[in-house]
Amino acid sequence: DFCLSRGLGDVYKRQKEDLVFQILVKDDTHVNSNSARDSWRGDSVQIAIQQRDGNGSPTGKVWEITAAKCKGGQVIYAHRGSRVGRLNDSLLNFLSLGEKWYLYEIRLNGKEMGLNLKPNSTLGTSIIVNSGSDTGRNGFLSWGGGIAHEKNDQLFQILHLR
């Protein structure tokens, strides 16, 4: 019951040095008993993000992160980027809203990730919402490509920051 078709304008906003994504998910139960590194295998959100120039051409490294409430707590873990591991200045606020609704508020710190988040900046991005169980990832929904089946930044969606 997850929908990204409303348009990403409802899903992200820029706040000073942070890019904030709010992903609302309906799920029977939240399941993620994985480590931070393997948290993508359970209920989680993955985001790929890359700095682009005004024409949408890549100018920076691809970051691929997972935001999850898992065995390691509420974490943002970088699988690809300038470094691998937990991000300390980027934050996840995971909330259970009741009636099977969960909110992932993901605050990606531009300084920590080397991203220019000023107005009129351009980013390439893709988002995956993973559905997990005790046996691993059961499936996912996505906005954009280039992150799950293949690693290809040419399949990312373009965000123009206001």
Short mmCIF file of all heavy atoms in Angstrom, two decimals, residues 58-128:
data_model
loop_
_atom_site.label_atom_id
_atom_site.label_comp_id
_atom_site.label_asym_id
_atom_site.label_seq_id
_atom_site.Cartn_x
_atom_site.Cartn_y
_atom_site.Cartn_z
N PRO A 58 26.02 13.78 -14.39
CA PRO A 58 26.69 13.49 -13.11
C PRO A 58 27.95 14.32 -12.90
O PRO A 58 28.73 14.52 -13.82
CB PRO A 58 27.05 12.01 -13.24
CG PRO A 58 26.17 11.47 -14.31
CD PRO A 58 25.91 12.60 -15.24
N THR A 59 28.10 14.81 -11.67
CA THR A 59 29.31 15.55 -11.29
C THR A 59 29.93 15.01 -10.00
O THR A 59 30.95 15.51 -9.55
CB THR A 59 29.04 17.06 -11.11
OG1 THR A 59 28.08 17.22 -10.06
CG2 THR A 59 28.52 17.68 -12.39
N GLY A 60 29.30 14.02 -9.40
CA GLY A 60 29.80 13.49 -8.13
C GLY A 60 29.60 12.00 -8.03
O GLY A 60 29.02 11.36 -8.91
N LYS A 61 30.09 11.45 -6.91
CA LYS A 61 29.94 10.02 -6.64
C LYS A 61 28.48 9.67 -6.36
O LYS A 61 27.73 10.49 -5.86
CB LYS A 61 30.76 9.62 -5.41
CG LYS A 61 32.24 9.61 -5.63
CD LYS A 61 32.93 9.03 -4.40
CE LYS A 61 34.41 8.97 -4.64
NZ LYS A 61 34.91 7.63 -4.73
N VAL A 62 28.13 8.43 -6.63
CA VAL A 62 26.82 7.91 -6.25
C VAL A 62 26.89 7.46 -4.79
O VAL A 62 27.80 6.72 -4.40
CB VAL A 62 26.41 6.71 -7.13
CG1 VAL A 62 25.13 6.07 -6.60
CG2 VAL A 62 26.25 7.13 -8.57
N TRP A 63 25.94 7.94 -4.01
CA TRP A 63 25.74 7.44 -2.65
C TRP A 63 24.56 6.49 -2.69
O TRP A 63 23.54 6.79 -3.31
CB TRP A 63 25.41 8.58 -1.69
CG TRP A 63 26.57 9.40 -1.28
CD1 TRP A 63 27.09 10.48 -1.93
CD2 TRP A 63 27.37 9.23 -0.11
NE1 TRP A 63 28.15 11.00 -1.25
CE2 TRP A 63 28.35 10.25 -0.12
CE3 TRP A 63 27.35 8.33 0.95
CZ2 TRP A 63 29.29 10.38 0.89
CZ3 TRP A 63 28.29 8.46 1.95
CH2 TRP A 63 29.25 9.47 1.91
N GLU A 64 24.68 5.36 -2.03
CA GLU A 64 23.55 4.46 -1.85
C GLU A 64 23.44 4.19 -0.36
O GLU A 64 24.37 3.67 0.25
CB GLU A 64 23.75 3.15 -2.60
CG GLU A 64 22.56 2.24 -2.51
CD GLU A 64 22.74 0.95 -3.32
OE1 GLU A 64 23.49 0.96 -4.32
OE2 GLU A 64 22.14 -0.05 -2.92
N ILE A 65 22.33 4.61 0.22
CA ILE A 65 22.15 4.47 1.67
C ILE A 65 20.90 3.64 1.96
O ILE A 65 19.99 3.56 1.14
CB ILE A 65 22.06 5.85 2.38
CG1 ILE A 65 20.83 6.66 1.94
CG2 ILE A 65 23.32 6.67 2.13
CD1 ILE A 65 19.69 6.57 2.90
N THR A 66 20.90 3.05 3.15
CA THR A 66 19.70 2.39 3.67
C THR A 66 19.34 3.08 4.97
O THR A 66 20.20 3.31 5.82
CB THR A 66 19.93 0.89 3.93
OG1 THR A 66 20.27 0.26 2.70
CG2 THR A 66 18.68 0.23 4.51
N ALA A 67 18.06 3.40 5.12
CA ALA A 67 17.52 3.94 6.37
C ALA A 67 16.63 2.85 6.96
O ALA A 67 15.71 2.37 6.28
CB ALA A 67 16.72 5.20 6.11
N ALA A 68 16.93 2.44 8.19
CA ALA A 68 16.18 1.34 8.77
C ALA A 68 16.17 1.40 10.29
O ALA A 68 17.12 1.84 10.91
CB ALA A 68 16.80 0.00 8.34
N LYS A 69 15.07 0.91 10.84
CA LYS A 69 15.01 0.58 12.26
C LYS A 69 15.31 -0.91 12.30
O LYS A 69 14.50 -1.74 11.85
CB LYS A 69 13.64 0.87 12.85
CG LYS A 69 13.55 0.52 14.32
CD LYS A 69 12.17 0.76 14.88
CE LYS A 69 12.13 0.26 16.31
NZ LYS A 69 10.76 0.04 16.75
N CYS A 70 16.50 -1.25 12.80
CA CYS A 70 16.97 -2.64 12.74
C CYS A 70 17.64 -3.01 14.06
O CYS A 70 17.53 -2.27 15.04
CB CYS A 70 17.92 -2.80 11.56
SG CYS A 70 19.39 -1.75 11.67
N LYS A 71 18.37 -4.11 14.03
CA LYS A 71 19.07 -4.56 15.24
C LYS A 71 20.00 -3.49 15.78
O LYS A 71 20.21 -3.38 16.98
CB LYS A 71 19.82 -5.85 14.94
CG LYS A 71 20.47 -6.49 16.14
CD LYS A 71 20.96 -7.90 15.90
CE LYS A 71 21.95 -7.99 14.79
NZ LYS A 71 22.51 -9.34 14.64
N GLY A 72 20.55 -2.67 14.90
CA GLY A 72 21.47 -1.62 15.30
C GLY A 72 20.79 -0.33 15.73
O GLY A 72 21.45 0.68 15.94
N GLY A 73 19.46 -0.33 15.83
CA GLY A 73 18.71 0.88 16.19
C GLY A 73 18.19 1.57 14.93
O GLY A 73 17.98 0.95 13.90
N GLN A 74 18.00 2.89 15.03
CA GLN A 74 17.57 3.68 13.87
C GLN A 74 18.84 4.17 13.19
O GLN A 74 19.55 5.00 13.75
CB GLN A 74 16.68 4.84 14.32
CG GLN A 74 15.36 4.38 14.89
CD GLN A 74 14.39 5.52 15.10
OE1 GLN A 74 14.38 6.49 14.36
NE2 GLN A 74 13.54 5.38 16.11
N VAL A 75 19.12 3.66 11.99
CA VAL A 75 20.40 3.92 11.36
C VAL A 75 20.24 4.39 9.91
O VAL A 75 19.26 4.08 9.25
CB VAL A 75 21.32 2.67 11.37
CG1 VAL A 75 21.61 2.23 12.79
CG2 VAL A 75 20.73 1.55 10.57
N ILE A 76 21.24 5.13 9.48
CA ILE A 76 21.45 5.40 8.06
C ILE A 76 22.82 4.85 7.74
O ILE A 76 23.83 5.27 8.33
CB ILE A 76 21.33 6.89 7.73
CG1 ILE A 76 19.89 7.34 8.02
CG2 ILE A 76 21.72 7.15 6.28
CD1 ILE A 76 19.59 8.76 7.64
N TYR A 77 22.85 3.88 6.84
CA TYR A 77 24.07 3.17 6.51
C TYR A 77 24.41 3.39 5.04
O TYR A 77 23.56 3.20 4.17
CB TYR A 77 23.89 1.66 6.77
CG TYR A 77 25.17 0.88 6.63
CD1 TYR A 77 25.98 0.67 7.74
CD2 TYR A 77 25.57 0.37 5.40
CE1 TYR A 77 27.17 -0.03 7.62
CE2 TYR A 77 26.75 -0.34 5.28
CZ TYR A 77 27.55 -0.53 6.39
OH TYR A 77 28.72 -1.22 6.27
N ALA A 78 25.63 3.82 4.76
CA ALA A 78 26.09 4.04 3.39
C ALA A 78 26.73 2.77 2.85
O ALA A 78 27.71 2.28 3.42
CB ALA A 78 27.08 5.20 3.34
N HIS A 79 26.18 2.25 1.76
CA HIS A 79 26.75 1.08 1.08
C HIS A 79 27.73 1.50 0.00
O HIS A 79 28.65 0.77 -0.32
CB HIS A 79 25.64 0.24 0.44
CG HIS A 79 24.61 -0.21 1.42
ND1 HIS A 79 24.80 -1.30 2.25
CD2 HIS A 79 23.39 0.28 1.72
CE1 HIS A 79 23.73 -1.46 3.02
NE2 HIS A 79 22.87 -0.51 2.71
N ARG A 80 27.50 2.68 -0.60
CA ARG A 80 28.38 3.26 -1.62
C ARG A 80 28.46 4.75 -1.36
O ARG A 80 27.53 5.35 -0.86
CB ARG A 80 27.81 3.06 -3.03
CG ARG A 80 27.83 1.68 -3.54
CD ARG A 80 27.60 1.63 -5.04
NE ARG A 80 26.30 2.14 -5.44
CZ ARG A 80 25.99 2.46 -6.69
NH1 ARG A 80 26.87 2.36 -7.65
NH2 ARG A 80 24.79 2.90 -6.99
N GLY A 81 29.55 5.37 -1.78
CA GLY A 81 29.74 6.80 -1.61
C GLY A 81 31.20 7.09 -1.31
O GLY A 81 32.06 6.24 -1.54
N SER A 82 31.46 8.25 -0.76
CA SER A 82 32.83 8.61 -0.40
C SER A 82 33.35 7.75 0.75
O SER A 82 34.56 7.64 0.95
CB SER A 82 32.91 10.08 0.00
OG SER A 82 32.56 10.88 -1.11
N ARG A 83 32.43 7.17 1.51
CA ARG A 83 32.82 6.23 2.56
C ARG A 83 31.68 5.25 2.78
O ARG A 83 30.55 5.51 2.39
CB ARG A 83 33.19 6.94 3.85
CG ARG A 83 32.07 7.66 4.54
CD ARG A 83 32.59 8.39 5.77
NE ARG A 83 31.53 8.97 6.55
CZ ARG A 83 30.85 8.32 7.49
NH1 ARG A 83 31.12 7.08 7.78
NH2 ARG A 83 29.91 8.94 8.17
N VAL A 84 31.99 4.11 3.38
CA VAL A 84 31.02 3.06 3.67
C VAL A 84 30.88 2.96 5.18
O VAL A 84 31.85 3.07 5.91
CB VAL A 84 31.47 1.72 3.06
CG1 VAL A 84 30.56 0.58 3.47
CG2 VAL A 84 31.54 1.82 1.54
N GLY A 85 29.64 2.76 5.64
CA GLY A 85 29.38 2.60 7.07
C GLY A 85 28.28 3.53 7.52
O GLY A 85 27.62 4.18 6.71
N ARG A 86 28.09 3.58 8.83
CA ARG A 86 27.05 4.45 9.39
C ARG A 86 27.38 5.91 9.13
O ARG A 86 28.52 6.33 9.27
CB ARG A 86 26.93 4.24 10.89
CG ARG A 86 26.24 2.99 11.28
CD ARG A 86 26.11 2.94 12.79
NE ARG A 86 25.52 1.69 13.18
CZ ARG A 86 24.57 1.59 14.10
NH1 ARG A 86 24.14 2.66 14.73
NH2 ARG A 86 24.08 0.42 14.41
N LEU A 87 26.36 6.67 8.77
CA LEU A 87 26.51 8.12 8.64
C LEU A 87 26.11 8.73 9.97
O LEU A 87 25.06 8.42 10.52
CB LEU A 87 25.64 8.64 7.50
CG LEU A 87 25.99 8.12 6.11
CD1 LEU A 87 25.09 8.73 5.06
CD2 LEU A 87 27.45 8.36 5.77
N ASN A 88 26.97 9.60 10.51
CA ASN A 88 26.74 10.14 11.85
C ASN A 88 25.96 11.44 11.86
O ASN A 88 25.28 11.74 12.84
CB ASN A 88 28.08 10.33 12.56
CG ASN A 88 28.78 9.01 12.76
OD1 ASN A 88 28.17 8.01 13.09
ND2 ASN A 88 30.08 9.00 12.51
N ASP A 89 26.06 12.24 10.80
CA ASP A 89 25.37 13.53 10.77
C ASP A 89 24.05 13.47 10.01
O ASP A 89 23.30 14.44 9.99
CB ASP A 89 26.28 14.60 10.15
CG ASP A 89 27.52 14.84 11.01
OD1 ASP A 89 27.42 14.69 12.24
OD2 ASP A 89 28.57 15.16 10.44
N SER A 90 23.76 12.36 9.37
CA SER A 90 22.48 12.12 8.72
C SER A 90 21.65 11.28 9.68
O SER A 90 22.19 10.41 10.37
CB SER A 90 22.68 11.38 7.39
OG SER A 90 23.44 12.17 6.50
N LEU A 91 20.36 11.54 9.74
CA LEU A 91 19.53 10.93 10.78
C LEU A 91 18.27 10.30 10.23
O LEU A 91 17.70 10.78 9.25
CB LEU A 91 19.13 11.99 11.81
CG LEU A 91 20.26 12.74 12.51
CD1 LEU A 91 19.70 13.90 13.31
CD2 LEU A 91 21.04 11.79 13.41
N LEU A 92 17.81 9.24 10.91
CA LEU A 92 16.51 8.63 10.65
C LEU A 92 15.64 8.83 11.87
O LEU A 92 16.07 8.58 13.00
CB LEU A 92 16.66 7.12 10.38
CG LEU A 92 15.35 6.32 10.38
CD1 LEU A 92 14.44 6.74 9.24
CD2 LEU A 92 15.64 4.83 10.33
N ASN A 93 14.41 9.28 11.63
CA ASN A 93 13.40 9.30 12.67
C ASN A 93 12.29 8.37 12.19
O ASN A 93 11.52 8.73 11.29
CB ASN A 93 12.87 10.72 12.91
CG ASN A 93 11.90 10.77 14.07
OD1 ASN A 93 11.87 9.90 14.92
ND2 ASN A 93 11.09 11.81 14.11
N PHE A 94 12.25 7.15 12.75
CA PHE A 94 11.27 6.14 12.36
C PHE A 94 10.12 6.18 13.35
O PHE A 94 10.33 6.08 14.56
CB PHE A 94 11.92 4.75 12.37
CG PHE A 94 10.97 3.64 12.06
CD1 PHE A 94 10.71 3.27 10.76
CD2 PHE A 94 10.34 2.94 13.08
CE1 PHE A 94 9.83 2.24 10.46
CE2 PHE A 94 9.46 1.91 12.81
CZ PHE A 94 9.21 1.55 11.50
N LEU A 95 8.90 6.33 12.85
CA LEU A 95 7.73 6.44 13.72
C LEU A 95 6.67 5.42 13.34
O LEU A 95 6.35 5.28 12.15
CB LEU A 95 7.11 7.84 13.61
CG LEU A 95 7.98 9.02 14.00
CD1 LEU A 95 7.32 10.33 13.59
CD2 LEU A 95 8.23 8.99 15.49
N SER A 96 6.12 4.74 14.34
CA SER A 96 4.94 3.90 14.15
C SER A 96 3.73 4.79 14.42
O SER A 96 3.56 5.31 15.52
CB SER A 96 4.97 2.72 15.11
OG SER A 96 3.77 1.99 15.00
N LEU A 97 2.90 4.98 13.39
CA LEU A 97 1.77 5.90 13.49
C LEU A 97 0.48 5.20 13.87
O LEU A 97 -0.55 5.85 14.04
CB LEU A 97 1.59 6.65 12.17
CG LEU A 97 2.81 7.43 11.69
CD1 LEU A 97 2.54 8.05 10.33
CD2 LEU A 97 3.21 8.48 12.70
N GLY A 98 0.51 3.88 13.99
CA GLY A 98 -0.69 3.12 14.31
C GLY A 98 -1.43 2.69 13.05
O GLY A 98 -1.17 3.19 11.95
N GLU A 99 -2.32 1.74 13.21
CA GLU A 99 -3.11 1.19 12.11
C GLU A 99 -2.23 0.77 10.94
O GLU A 99 -2.57 0.99 9.77
CB GLU A 99 -4.21 2.17 11.69
CG GLU A 99 -5.19 2.44 12.81
CD GLU A 99 -6.39 3.26 12.36
OE1 GLU A 99 -6.72 3.26 11.17
OE2 GLU A 99 -6.99 3.89 13.25
N LYS A 100 -1.07 0.18 11.25
CA LYS A 100 -0.13 -0.39 10.28
C LYS A 100 0.60 0.65 9.43
O LYS A 100 1.17 0.32 8.39
CB LYS A 100 -0.84 -1.41 9.38
CG LYS A 100 -1.49 -2.54 10.16
CD LYS A 100 -2.18 -3.52 9.25
CE LYS A 100 -2.86 -4.58 10.09
NZ LYS A 100 -3.51 -5.58 9.26
N TRP A 101 0.63 1.91 9.87
CA TRP A 101 1.34 2.97 9.13
C TRP A 101 2.66 3.30 9.83
O TRP A 101 2.71 3.43 11.06
CB TRP A 101 0.49 4.24 9.04
CG TRP A 101 -0.65 4.10 8.08
CD1 TRP A 101 -1.96 3.85 8.39
CD2 TRP A 101 -0.58 4.20 6.67
NE1 TRP A 101 -2.70 3.79 7.25
CE2 TRP A 101 -1.89 4.00 6.17
CE3 TRP A 101 0.45 4.43 5.76
CZ2 TRP A 101 -2.19 4.03 4.81
CZ3 TRP A 101 0.15 4.46 4.41
CH2 TRP A 101 -1.15 4.26 3.95
N TYR A 102 3.72 3.45 9.02
CA TYR A 102 5.05 3.77 9.52
C TYR A 102 5.61 4.93 8.70
O TYR A 102 5.44 4.98 7.48
CB TYR A 102 5.99 2.56 9.38
CG TYR A 102 5.49 1.36 10.14
CD1 TYR A 102 4.69 0.41 9.52
CD2 TYR A 102 5.80 1.18 11.48
CE1 TYR A 102 4.20 -0.70 10.21
CE2 TYR A 102 5.32 0.09 12.19
CZ TYR A 102 4.52 -0.85 11.55
OH TYR A 102 4.05 -1.93 12.25
N LEU A 103 6.27 5.85 9.38
CA LEU A 103 6.87 7.01 8.71
C LEU A 103 8.39 6.95 8.88
O LEU A 103 8.89 6.82 10.00
CB LEU A 103 6.34 8.32 9.31
CG LEU A 103 6.94 9.60 8.71
CD1 LEU A 103 6.53 9.76 7.25
CD2 LEU A 103 6.52 10.81 9.53
N TYR A 104 9.09 7.03 7.76
CA TYR A 104 10.55 7.16 7.74
C TYR A 104 10.85 8.61 7.42
O TYR A 104 10.58 9.07 6.31
CB TYR A 104 11.17 6.30 6.64
CG TYR A 104 11.06 4.81 6.82
CD1 TYR A 104 9.89 4.13 6.52
CD2 TYR A 104 12.16 4.07 7.26
CE1 TYR A 104 9.81 2.75 6.64
CE2 TYR A 104 12.08 2.69 7.38
CZ TYR A 104 10.90 2.05 7.08
OH TYR A 104 10.83 0.68 7.20
N GLU A 105 11.36 9.37 8.39
CA GLU A 105 11.85 10.72 8.11
C GLU A 105 13.37 10.62 8.04
O GLU A 105 14.03 10.38 9.04
CB GLU A 105 11.43 11.73 9.17
CG GLU A 105 11.88 13.13 8.78
CD GLU A 105 11.45 14.19 9.77
OE1 GLU A 105 12.18 14.39 10.76
OE2 GLU A 105 10.39 14.80 9.54
N ILE A 106 13.89 10.79 6.83
CA ILE A 106 15.30 10.57 6.55
C ILE A 106 15.94 11.93 6.27
O ILE A 106 15.55 12.61 5.32
CB ILE A 106 15.46 9.64 5.33
CG1 ILE A 106 14.74 8.31 5.60
CG2 ILE A 106 16.93 9.44 4.99
CD1 ILE A 106 14.45 7.51 4.35
N ARG A 107 16.88 12.33 7.10
CA ARG A 107 17.57 13.61 6.96
C ARG A 107 19.00 13.34 6.51
O ARG A 107 19.83 12.90 7.30
CB ARG A 107 17.58 14.36 8.29
CG ARG A 107 16.20 14.63 8.85
CD ARG A 107 16.26 15.35 10.19
NE ARG A 107 16.53 16.75 10.00
CZ ARG A 107 15.59 17.66 9.71
NH1 ARG A 107 14.35 17.28 9.57
NH2 ARG A 107 15.92 18.92 9.54
N LEU A 108 19.27 13.60 5.23
CA LEU A 108 20.61 13.41 4.68
C LEU A 108 21.37 14.71 4.78
O LEU A 108 20.94 15.73 4.24
CB LEU A 108 20.53 12.94 3.22
CG LEU A 108 19.78 11.62 3.00
CD1 LEU A 108 19.76 11.27 1.53
CD2 LEU A 108 20.40 10.50 3.83
N ASN A 109 22.51 14.68 5.47
CA ASN A 109 23.31 15.87 5.68
C ASN A 109 24.20 16.12 4.46
O ASN A 109 25.04 15.28 4.11
CB ASN A 109 24.15 15.74 6.94
CG ASN A 109 24.94 16.98 7.24
OD1 ASN A 109 26.03 17.15 6.74
ND2 ASN A 109 24.36 17.85 8.06
N GLY A 110 24.00 17.25 3.81
CA GLY A 110 24.75 17.59 2.60
C GLY A 110 26.25 17.67 2.82
O GLY A 110 27.03 17.20 2.00
N LYS A 111 26.67 18.27 3.93
CA LYS A 111 28.10 18.38 4.21
C LYS A 111 28.73 17.00 4.36
O LYS A 111 29.79 16.73 3.80
CB LYS A 111 28.33 19.18 5.50
CG LYS A 111 28.56 20.64 5.28
CD LYS A 111 29.00 21.29 6.59
CE LYS A 111 29.38 22.72 6.35
NZ LYS A 111 29.71 23.42 7.57
N GLU A 112 28.09 16.14 5.13
CA GLU A 112 28.61 14.80 5.37
C GLU A 112 28.75 14.00 4.07
O GLU A 112 29.68 13.21 3.91
CB GLU A 112 27.69 14.04 6.34
CG GLU A 112 28.14 12.65 6.68
CD GLU A 112 27.26 11.99 7.72
OE1 GLU A 112 26.03 12.22 7.71
OE2 GLU A 112 27.81 11.22 8.53
N MET A 113 27.84 14.26 3.13
CA MET A 113 27.82 13.50 1.88
C MET A 113 28.44 14.26 0.71
O MET A 113 28.48 13.74 -0.40
CB MET A 113 26.38 13.09 1.57
CG MET A 113 25.77 12.20 2.65
SD MET A 113 24.04 11.83 2.36
CE MET A 113 24.18 10.65 1.02
N GLY A 114 28.93 15.48 0.97
CA GLY A 114 29.55 16.25 -0.10
C GLY A 114 28.56 16.70 -1.17
O GLY A 114 28.91 16.82 -2.35
N LEU A 115 27.32 16.96 -0.77
CA LEU A 115 26.27 17.37 -1.71
C LEU A 115 25.99 18.86 -1.58
O LEU A 115 25.91 19.39 -0.46
CB LEU A 115 24.97 16.60 -1.43
CG LEU A 115 25.01 15.09 -1.61
CD1 LEU A 115 23.71 14.47 -1.12
CD2 LEU A 115 25.28 14.73 -3.06
N ASN A 116 25.82 19.52 -2.70
CA ASN A 116 25.40 20.92 -2.73
C ASN A 116 23.87 20.93 -2.70
O ASN A 116 23.24 20.49 -3.67
CB ASN A 116 25.93 21.61 -3.99
CG ASN A 116 25.45 23.03 -4.11
OD1 ASN A 116 24.71 23.54 -3.27
ND2 ASN A 116 25.86 23.69 -5.18
N LEU A 117 23.30 21.40 -1.61
CA LEU A 117 21.85 21.40 -1.45
C LEU A 117 21.27 22.81 -1.54
O LEU A 117 20.15 23.05 -1.07
CB LEU A 117 21.47 20.75 -0.12
CG LEU A 117 21.92 19.29 0.05
CD1 LEU A 117 21.52 18.77 1.41
CD2 LEU A 117 21.38 18.42 -1.06
N LYS A 118 21.99 23.73 -2.13
CA LYS A 118 21.50 25.10 -2.27
C LYS A 118 20.37 25.15 -3.29
O LYS A 118 20.26 24.27 -4.15
CB LYS A 118 22.64 26.01 -2.69
CG LYS A 118 23.69 26.16 -1.62
CD LYS A 118 24.80 27.09 -2.03
CE LYS A 118 25.74 27.24 -0.84
NZ LYS A 118 27.08 27.49 -1.19
N PRO A 119 19.51 26.18 -3.21
CA PRO A 119 18.45 26.32 -4.21
C PRO A 119 19.04 26.29 -5.63
O PRO A 119 20.14 26.77 -5.87
CB PRO A 119 17.84 27.69 -3.89
CG PRO A 119 18.12 27.89 -2.44
CD PRO A 119 19.47 27.25 -2.20
N ASN A 120 18.30 25.69 -6.53
CA ASN A 120 18.66 25.51 -7.94
C ASN A 120 19.71 24.43 -8.17
O ASN A 120 20.18 24.27 -9.29
CB ASN A 120 19.08 26.83 -8.59
CG ASN A 120 17.97 27.85 -8.52
OD1 ASN A 120 16.82 27.53 -8.81
ND2 ASN A 120 18.30 29.05 -8.10
N SER A 121 20.10 23.70 -7.12
CA SER A 121 20.99 22.55 -7.31
C SER A 121 20.19 21.40 -7.91
O SER A 121 18.97 21.33 -7.77
CB SER A 121 21.60 22.11 -5.98
OG SER A 121 22.42 23.12 -5.45
N THR A 122 20.91 20.48 -8.54
CA THR A 122 20.28 19.34 -9.19
C THR A 122 20.89 18.05 -8.67
O THR A 122 22.11 17.95 -8.50
CB THR A 122 20.45 19.42 -10.72
OG1 THR A 122 19.90 20.66 -11.18
CG2 THR A 122 19.74 18.28 -11.43
N LEU A 123 20.04 17.06 -8.41
CA LEU A 123 20.46 15.75 -7.93
C LEU A 123 19.81 14.67 -8.77
O LEU A 123 18.68 14.83 -9.21
CB LEU A 123 20.06 15.55 -6.46
CG LEU A 123 20.56 16.56 -5.44
CD1 LEU A 123 19.83 16.38 -4.12
CD2 LEU A 123 22.05 16.42 -5.26
N GLY A 124 20.51 13.57 -8.95
CA GLY A 124 19.90 12.35 -9.47
C GLY A 124 19.58 11.47 -8.29
O GLY A 124 20.37 11.39 -7.34
N THR A 125 18.41 10.82 -8.30
CA THR A 125 18.05 9.99 -7.16
C THR A 125 17.08 8.88 -7.54
O THR A 125 16.36 8.97 -8.53
CB THR A 125 17.45 10.85 -6.02
OG1 THR A 125 17.34 10.07 -4.84
CG2 THR A 125 16.10 11.40 -6.38
N SER A 126 17.09 7.84 -6.75
CA SER A 126 16.11 6.75 -6.81
C SER A 126 15.80 6.34 -5.39
O SER A 126 16.65 6.44 -4.50
CB SER A 126 16.66 5.55 -7.58
OG SER A 126 16.75 5.83 -8.96
N ILE A 127 14.58 5.86 -5.20
CA ILE A 127 14.14 5.43 -3.86
C ILE A 127 13.54 4.03 -3.98
O ILE A 127 12.79 3.75 -4.91
CB ILE A 127 13.06 6.38 -3.30
CG1 ILE A 127 13.62 7.80 -3.18
CG2 ILE A 127 12.54 5.88 -1.96
CD1 ILE A 127 12.56 8.83 -2.82
N ILE A 128 13.89 3.19 -3.01
CA ILE A 128 13.30 1.85 -2.90
C ILE A 128 12.72 1.70 -1.50
O ILE A 128 13.36 2.07 -0.52
CB ILE A 128 14.36 0.75 -3.09
CG1 ILE A 128 14.85 0.73 -4.53
CG2 ILE A 128 13.80 -0.61 -2.72
CD1 ILE A 128 15.93 -0.29 -4.75
#
